């Protein structure tokens, strides 16, 4: 093979192999996002869901003291043990507040494995609980949308809009910049390479039984990425309500969040 032909072959190989290598690297890096190295700090919480449809969140220490004092949750309550990890500041609570309340250009809710779509017509094909996955998606979408709208409302006021115009501006911007997607091959690549899940584009990733969850935890492995993992869909639901409690989120209007 002469040098000219050899050079052409090298160029062709580079054109073909380089993009494939980049795609595979990004796909592999997704695993580093959802399974990062040990956190800088962790806080253990206990969430109590009572038969009267109320959620209560306590640290593991607070819960243990109550038990030692002879105060037990109401009979029939459900208990969820949750870990909140910190990879950014060393404070799990600060990480969570900074991530979910930050100002972003866009946000994406990754509602789960493509099998979640079966909840529409064939729930029996979904590995999990369609009722709680639907509630989880609705709840976290509402929380993030409301925070996003508030941020853009403030921006509208700073731009000189009056109250009514600023509200309309915030509403329009929220729905222009919001999307939902499934955790498919290309979504994993987008997260792995940082196209979504960065300082300008918040991504909220739900990891439940259908996605291979192994523990109950909430963490932000890097700025712009929020991972909510639960071994059951009911746990995911409880974790989202817990996030509202932890960041001091309140709905603009009275709303029942304990269905």
């Amino acid at each position: 093979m002469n040098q000219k032909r050899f050079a052409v072959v090298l160029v062709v190989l580079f054109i073909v192999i380089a993009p494939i290598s980049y795609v595979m690297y990004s796909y592999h890096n997704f695993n580093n996002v959802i399974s990062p190295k040990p956190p800088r700090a962790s806080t253990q919480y206990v969430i109590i869901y009572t038969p009267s449809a109320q959620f209560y969140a306590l640290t593991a220490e607070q819960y243990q003291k109550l038990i030692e004092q002879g105060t037990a949750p109401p009979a029939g309550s459900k208990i969820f043990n949750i870990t909140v990890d910190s990879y950014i500041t060393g404070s799990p609570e600060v990480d969570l507040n900074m991530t979910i309340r930050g100002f972003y250009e866009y946000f994406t809710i990754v509602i789960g494995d493509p099998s979640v779509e079966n909840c529409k017509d064939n729930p029996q094909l979904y590995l999990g609980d369609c009722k709680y996955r639907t509630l989880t998606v609705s709840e976290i979408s509402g929380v993030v949308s409301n925070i996003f709208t508030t941020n853009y409302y403030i921006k509208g006021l700073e731009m000189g809009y009056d109250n009514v115009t600023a509200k309309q501006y915030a509403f329009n911007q929220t729905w222009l910049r919001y999307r939902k997607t499934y955790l498919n091959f290309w979504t994993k690549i987008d997260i792995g390479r940082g196209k979504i899940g960065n300082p300008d584009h918040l991504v909220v990733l739900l990891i439940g039984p259908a996605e291979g969850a192994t523990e109950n935890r909430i963490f932000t492995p890097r700025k712009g990425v929020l991972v909510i993992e639960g071994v059951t869909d009911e746990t995911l639901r409880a974790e989202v309500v817990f996030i509202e409690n932890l960041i001091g989120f309140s709905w603009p209007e009275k709303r029942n969040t304990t269905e």
Side-chain angles (χ1 to χ4, degrees), residues 96-102 104 140 143-144 147 226 243 247:
L96 188 58
N97 265 286
M98 286 176 53
T99 299
I100 202 167
R101 288 193 178 278
Y104 299 93
I140 192 61
V143 170
V144 179
I147 292 174
L226 172 62
I243 288 172
I247 68 173

Side-chain angles (χ1 to χ4, degrees), residues 1-257:
M1 181 182 297
N2 60 44
Q3 290 187 344
K4 185 176 181 179
R5 183 174 297 178
F6 180 69
V8 171
V9 171
L10 286 179
V11 170
V12 171
L13 287 175
F14 177 79
I15 292 174
V16 173
I17 294 176
I20 294 175
S21 298
Y22 179 69
V23 167
M24 297 313 298
Y25 167 80
S26 299
Y27 184 82
H28 174 74
N29 197 49
F30 169 78
N31 293 324
N32 295 330
V33 173
I34 63 170
S35 299
K37 296 178 181 178
R40 297 177 61 182
S42 298
T43 304
Q44 308 295 323
Y45 287 92
V46 176
I47 301 173
I48 304 170
Y49 180 56
T50 69
S52 60
Q54 296 296 315
F55 280 96
Y56 298 93
L58 305 169
T59 64
E61 293 79 7
Q62 291 171 332
Y63 179 75
Q64 186 59 36
K65 286 182 180 179
L66 286 178
I67 298 300
E68 292 173 353
Q69 293 169 0
T71 303
S77 296
K78 296 178 180 180
I79 306 297
F80 305 92
N81 294 294
I82 309 296
T83 301
V84 184
D85 292 327
S86 171
Y87 291 90
I88 302 174
T89 67
S91 169
E93 296 76 16
V94 171
D95 278 13
L96 188 58
N97 265 286
M98 286 176 53
T99 299
I100 202 167
R101 288 193 178 278
F103 186 90
Y104 299 93
E105 294 292 328
Y106 304 93
F107 71 101
T108 296
I109 308 295
V110 182
I111 65 178
D113 182 84
S115 65
V116 173
E117 191 171 12
N118 288 320
C119 286
K120 295 179 182 178
D121 303 308
N122 300 292
Q124 70 278 6
L125 299 179
Y126 172 64
L127 181 61
D129 189 310
C130 282
K131 171 188 173 182
Y132 284 109
R133 179 57 66 102
T134 301
L135 287 172
T136 300
V137 171
S138 175
E139 191 80 16
I140 192 61
S141 298
V143 170
V144 179
S145 295
N146 271 277
I147 292 174
F148 203 87
T149 300
T150 298
N151 288 341
Y152 273 85
Y153 168 71
I154 294 172
K155 180 178 179 180
L157 293 177
E158 292 174 345
M159 293 168 62
Y161 294 152
D162 60 37
N163 186 57
V164 174
T165 306
K167 286 183 177 179
Q168 187 61 50
Y169 169 77
F171 176 83
N172 292 341
Q173 292 302 308
T174 296
W175 295 108
L176 283 172
R177 300 167 185 269
Y178 163 48
R179 72 185 182 106
K180 292 180 183 177
T181 188
Y182 294 101
L183 188 59
N184 54 34
F185 178 80
W186 292 109
T187 301
K188 291 179 179 180
I189 289 174
D190 285 344
I191 294 174
R193 69 190 181 103
K195 180 180 179 181
I196 61 176
N198 59 60
D200 294 322
H201 191 141
L202 172 67
V203 64
V204 179
L205 180 59
L206 300 177
I207 303 292
E211 297 77 31
T214 58
E215 55 186 304
N216 303 327
R217 59 177 179 158
I218 302 167
F219 63 101
T220 55
R222 71 177 185 232
K223 186 171 177 58
V225 179
L226 172 62
V227 181
I228 306 172
E229 180 179 1
V231 295
T232 68
D233 285 307
E234 187 173 9
T235 303
L236 285 178
R237 161 70 169 165
E239 287 176 317
V240 172
V241 176
F242 167 65
I243 288 172
E244 296 174 35
N245 178 283
L246 197 60
I247 68 173
F249 174 83
S250 58
W251 294 94
E253 299 177 0
K254 186 175 181 182
R255 181 177 183 273
N256 181 9
T257 61

